[in-house]
Amino acid sequence: METAETIADLRVRPLTPTLGAELPDLDLSAGVDERTFAAVYRALLRYQVLLFGPFDLPPGRQLEFARRFGEVQIHVMNQYHADAYPELYRLSNLDAQGNPNGRHPDKGTLAWHTDGSWQRRTAQVTIIYGEIVPEHGGETHFCDMYGAYERLSPAWKQRIAGMRAVHNLDFSRTRRHGEQPMTDEQRAAAPPVDQPIVRTHPDTGRKCLYLGDHAEYVVGIAYDEGRALIDELNALAVHPDLTYEHHWVPGQLIVWDNRCVMHRATDYDPATERRVVRRCTVLGEVPH
Ligand SMILES: [Fe+2]
């Protein structure tokens, strides 16, 4: 494991040899000046996943921090809007009395994916704050998509060069959430879009594999063949030694770069455990 380094006076402690780093000294509830933000962004480009806290972070402060990265998205799945801030999306399994209601709020998060790949302009970063976290399960796992691409065989790299996949929120949502499909209005607001299967990170210039659970089929080949190719590549993308598995402590905040990592949540018992997290997503670029 690499030891801590400093980026512009900011202590950065790697969480694994490949991805993830903790910034133990930065209290985001106090606000972040420009110079510090520049260091945070540099750390993000280097480590892909950044861990902060624990601290108490009011929703407004989370949003303020998110806006430093860029335009914060208002999510099409409006039933999750929270805290009078439509940019924040709350996932909770609590009833009005604060007791577990037995329902998992978003089963789609259990499959490896990258946020916002179903939009033309995909997500840059996602920022999650853990208000209440389960004792068992409810972890967030991250895998390195630079490494996923680099470890593909030359034959695979050749096969997928220039290929595009169609990402479709309705596809992934219906597959994981048959009981709560998207409304016609939500569907109209999120039509399927095609994205490159290999994308180049706009800041680092490095290539990464870009698929995940929202990818439905491949442009220009038979639907079933494309489905099989996507399933195979999604499975090939995840390497235990290129993965960071985070067990949450209440009050922690994680920022990750959707352009070069996939993530998933692990299951928990929604009838006995309590989990309330609030997240927001910053819009990024059209992938190339
Ligand atoms: Fe996600």
Side-chain angles (χ1 to χ4, degrees):
M1 176 89 52
E2 232 177 304
T3 50
E5 63 162 330
T6 54
I7 298 180
D9 302 332
L10 209 59
R11 202 153 57 98
V12 180
R13 198 158 54 208
L15 294 164
T16 76
T18 48
L19 84 162
E22 185 180 10
L23 282 72
D25 305 326
L26 191 57
D27 182 352
L28 296 177
S29 65
V32 173
D33 62 31
E34 216 160 288
R35 184 167 176 273
T36 307
F37 179 76
V40 167
Y41 196 77
R42 267 173 56 202
L44 179 77
L45 293 182
R46 170 144 181 201
Y47 294 102
Q48 304 162 258
V49 178
L50 301 181
L51 170 65
F52 302 86
F55 37 61
D56 283 326
L57 189 70
R61 282 285 183 179
Q62 181 178 357
L63 195 51
E64 211 176 278
F65 179 57
R67 287 192 178 124
R68 306 301 293 265
F69 291 86
E71 183 188 343
V72 183
Q73 183 187 0
I74 296 178
H75 202 281
V76 59
M77 301 304 284
N78 42 10
Q79 66 264 44
Y80 298 110
H81 292 173
D83 302 302
Y85 295 101
E87 296 94 336
L88 294 177
Y89 179 109
R90 176 173 288 203
L91 292 172
S92 163
N93 71 320
L94 303 187
D95 63 19
Q97 284 73 46
N99 298 314
N101 63 16
R103 286 192 305 275
H104 196 296
D106 190 354
K107 287 186 199 140
T109 61
L110 300 176
W112 286 104
H113 66 284
T114 168
D115 288 336
S117 66
W118 44 271
Q119 311 168 110
R120 181 58 65 205
R121 268 182 81 192
T122 62
Q124 182 209 60
V125 293
T126 299
I127 302 175
I128 290 193
Y129 179 72
E131 288 182 7
I132 301 172
V133 299
E135 215 156 298
H136 302 286
E139 299 186 347
T140 310
H141 295 178
F142 302 93
C143 69
D144 166 21
M145 297 304 274
Y146 293 128
Y149 178 73
E150 283 155 15
R151 287 199 186 173
L152 289 176
S153 67
W156 261 117
K157 286 182 182 163
Q158 202 174 10
R159 184 171 172 207
I160 61 176
M163 259 189 183
R164 298 181 73 82
V166 172
H167 294 240
N168 182 357
L169 180 61
D170 191 25
F171 163 76
S172 48
R173 178 91 195 167
T174 304
R175 195 150 72 124
R176 309 287 175 196
H177 272 273
E179 76 284 1
Q180 202 192 357
M182 291 170 75
T183 64
D184 289 344
E185 212 176 7
Q186 289 169 341
R187 223 172 261 135
V193 293
D194 62 307
Q195 309 284 12
I197 291 180
V198 180
R199 79 177 282 188
T200 303
H201 193 292
D203 293 319
T204 65
R206 295 175 66 193
K207 283 184 177 177
C208 15
L209 197 57
Y210 192 69
L211 281 171
D213 200 51
H214 301 307
E216 181 177 5
Y217 63 93
V218 176
V219 176
I221 66 175
Y223 184 90
D224 290 348
E225 197 187 326
R227 284 288 330 129
L229 183 136
I230 289 168
D231 284 343
E232 202 176 341
L233 279 173
N234 276 337
L236 279 174
V238 183
H239 301 273
D241 64 322
L242 300 180
T243 300
Y244 171 60
E245 301 186 348
H246 184 68
H247 184 74
W248 287 85
V249 169
Q252 287 180 327
L253 178 137
I254 294 187
V255 180
W256 68 83
D257 188 339
N258 285 291
R259 301 166 295 189
C260 54
V261 298
M262 288 203 297
H263 62 282
R264 69 168 177 191
T266 64
D267 212 354
Y268 63 96
D269 183 352
T272 59
E273 295 271 11
R274 305 191 310 148
R275 183 175 192 255
V276 181
V277 303
R278 61 174 126 89
R279 46 155 289 175
C280 57
T281 299
V282 177
L283 274 171
E285 310 77 11
V286 176
H288 68 277

